[in-house]
Amino acid sequence: MLSIHDAQSHILQHARRNPAVYLSLRHAIGQVLAEDIASDIDSPPYAKSLVDGYAIISADMRRSGVVLDVIEQVTAVNVPKHELCSGQATCIMTGAPMPAGADAVVMVEQTVQVQRHGRASVRIDACDVEVGQHTLAQGAAIQRGEVVFHRDRPVRAIDVGLLSEVGRTRLRVYRRPRIAILATGDELVPPGWIPGPGQIRNSNSAMLAAMVRTAGGQAIDSGICRDDTASLRQAIERGLQCDVLLLSGGVSAGVMDLVPRTLQDLGVEQVFHKVRLRPGKPLWFGTCNRAGCTRLVFGLPGNPVGSLVCFELFVRPVIYKLSGRNTPAPHPTQARLERDYIQRGDRPTYHPALARRGEDGQIVVTALAWKGSADQRAISMANCLIFFPPGAQLFAAGSVVEILWLDRPDR
Ligand code: AMP
Ligand code: MG
């Protein structure tokens, strides 16, 4: 049986970054840039005032109380018509272009409007005005042609303002992976139904779709498929139109576990079946070619916690890689056990747990009571998984263990 690490590297070897597409800015959020973004303008596009006040020549301000002739008024939308000469000022609003000749702005609060020889004038109650005071030079923030975003970084909501300023309404990003989700099992009914005798609710489809979306993929719910070969063939063939097909159930050793056989009949080549892992041992992984592209197929365990752990360890990294992100492997964090824990198991185990930051700033973690791979209750109380190596062993309070966060938006 494969180790977790070997299974991860086999899978990632088959995953290739998706091709780049153009998306509107709104739809590109969360996707990874496939191009450098350069500004087509200087920012600001012209030297501008940062306050409401008077544009002046700083050399005129040798003493406080100087009176200057006001030659015009410019607001944020009009352009100054007159060049400033010594002894003159232009009334200017925040964001308005600086008139030629001016090299500083005095805030309106430091001025008094006066009349001199019947002309509009202003008294400036300030001295020692520095060149450039309350102004922003053309191109001070960004120069035309300058790269403001480099390729291979995700587009965040907080980047949208700058992208709009540099004129980008469409961006070249790696295409969001399309992930088909197919639940298999004669016993499954939709979550909105009351299960009859021998039936259980299909919780995996909705759970996997939610996980796919948090990882940046597009989830396509392919519904529930019965445990018969003809239905499975049809549903799988449809699912193979997507970049990744996630099946759940039907991959263990039971008589109705038809998934591996059916996949292989359809030309999906098995890369491995079963991983030394608890929960998640029955995991099946294979690949095939459809429409000239590689499709990645996961047969996830039917038991919900097994499905979820396999998603975190094996599927999330694939979604990241297809999306063009460069953090494909889940990275563990070290934490101190808060209480003694006795671990028994023949396989490496990911155990639902609750972690928090202790008073000394270090992370402390407690293993939750958990009844195994069908027990989703423990997962809902958990915020991480503790990794325990195989074998029977007491992990004393205070010992250091590795944890995998479950609810960090960007691992
Ligand atoms: P299987 O691998 O198909 O034998 O399924 C293993 C266990 O997981 C069985 O108890 C199933 O009833 C359960 N199971 C399978 N599929 C789902 C699903 N979509 N949602 C919840 N439980 C499931
Ligand atoms: Mg089944």
Side-chain angles (χ1 to χ4, degrees):
M1 225 183 303
L2 272 187
S3 70
I4 298 166
H5 178 266
D6 287 351
Q8 280 168 334
S9 48
H10 278 301
I11 292 167
L12 286 176
Q13 268 168 28
H14 288 90
R16 298 269 171 283
R17 194 150 73 175
N18 268 348
V21 291
Y22 275 100
L23 288 186
S24 67
L25 183 50
R26 195 161 79 88
H27 290 108
I29 296 167
Q31 299 306 107
V32 174
L33 280 175
E35 60 170 340
D36 289 341
I37 305 285
S39 178
D40 64 344
I41 51 166
D42 285 335
S43 178
Y46 38 77
K48 69 176 179 185
S49 173
L50 295 175
V51 295
D52 295 324
Y54 289 86
I56 51 130
I57 296 166
S58 57
D60 283 347
M61 293 294 108
R62 296 228 168 73
R63 62 179 176 81
S64 188
V66 166
V67 176
L68 305 170
D69 291 336
V70 179
I71 57 167
E72 66 175 324
Q73 174 171 303
V74 283
T75 63
V77 289
N78 58 24
V79 178
K81 294 187 191 69
H82 304 290
E83 181 170 350
L84 218 59
C85 299
S86 181
Q88 295 179 329
T90 293
C91 181
I92 194 165
M93 308 299 146
T94 304
M98 289 288 286
D103 64 5
V105 174
V106 179
M107 291 171 86
V108 71
E109 292 84 347
Q110 294 184 306
T111 67
V112 179
Q113 287 183 22
V114 293
Q115 288 284 318
R116 191 171 61 170
H117 315 305
R119 287 205 303 268
S121 305
V122 64
R123 193 182 78 221
I124 313 280
D125 293 330
C127 58
D128 291 337
V129 173
E130 279 180 25
V131 173
Q133 173 181 289
H134 300 319
T135 68
L136 199 59
Q138 176 175 341
I142 304 164
Q143 305 217 323
R144 185 175 171 194
E146 194 179 329
V147 172
V148 288
F149 293 99
H150 288 276
R151 61 189 303 148
D152 294 337
R153 61 165 278 177
V155 181
R156 303 166 307 165
I158 60 171
D159 298 327
V160 169
L162 180 56
L163 286 160
S164 301
E165 185 182 351
V166 301
R168 296 305 300 258
T169 56
R170 292 173 73 71
L171 303 174
R172 209 167 129 76
V173 292
Y174 297 107
R175 182 170 59 70
R176 193 183 288 275
R178 288 163 51 83
I179 319 287
I181 297 161
L182 178 61
T184 73
D186 285 336
E187 75 282 27
L188 300 179
V189 295
W193 291 22
I194 305 290
Q199 294 183 325
I200 62 159
R201 291 187 172 121
N202 166 23
S203 60
N204 283 348
S205 290
M207 180 271 288
L208 289 169
M211 300 298 283
V212 163
R213 282 192 285 269
T214 65
Q218 183 187 349
I220 289 123
D221 186 356
S222 299
I224 298 171
C225 185
R226 298 293 156 221
D227 289 319
D228 76 78
T229 307
S231 315
L232 266 177
R233 284 180 74 100
Q234 220 178 29
I236 289 169
E237 202 51 78
R238 256 201 320 275
L240 290 175
Q241 289 169 13
C242 291
D243 300 306
V244 177
L245 169 58
L246 302 181
L247 293 118
S248 89
V251 283
S252 312
V255 282
M256 298 315 282
D257 292 333
L258 307 170
V259 167
R261 240 176 297 158
T262 313
L263 284 167
Q264 287 177 73
D265 286 350
L266 289 170
V268 185
E269 238 172 86
Q270 176 180 315
V271 175
F272 65 79
H273 189 189
K274 296 199 167 77
V275 179
R276 207 140 56 78
L277 166 66
R278 192 175 80 99
K281 174 178 154 190
L283 178 70
W284 189 99
F285 175 73
T287 67
C288 68
N289 204 288
R290 288 290 186 281
C293 300
T294 302
R295 309 303 196 199
L296 307 178
V297 182
F298 290 86
L300 300 172
N303 269 317
V305 186
S307 241
L308 184 128
V309 167
C310 286
F311 181 91
E312 283 302 308
L313 294 176
F314 307 110
V315 183
R316 182 185 289 276
V318 160
I319 297 177
Y320 285 178
K321 192 162 179 190
L322 297 182
S323 309
R325 292 209 205 184
N326 53 12
T327 52
H331 37 86
T333 307
Q334 294 210 321
R336 256 183 311 107
L337 267 187
E338 205 160 16
R339 299 198 203 122
D340 286 357
Y341 185 79
I342 298 170
Q343 163 66 12
R344 287 186 196 86
D346 57 343
R347 281 168 278 149
T349 298
Y350 280 92
H351 189 109
L354 193 58
R356 62 180 174 84
R357 205 165 279 283
E359 273 138 37
D360 58 0
Q362 290 197 7
I363 298 167
V364 288
V365 65
T366 306
L368 295 169
W370 178 48
K371 297 189 175 61
S373 58
D375 176 14
Q376 304 200 67
R377 187 82 196 277
I379 280 291
S380 283
M381 292 192 293
N383 61 2
C384 68
L385 301 164
I386 303 178
F387 176 80
F388 288 118
Q393 197 178 336
L394 164 73
F395 289 85
S399 48
V400 175
V401 289
E402 282 190 350
I403 63 167
L404 198 61
W405 291 107
L406 284 173
D407 54 4
R408 289 272 165 96
D410 191 17
R411 266 147 298 167

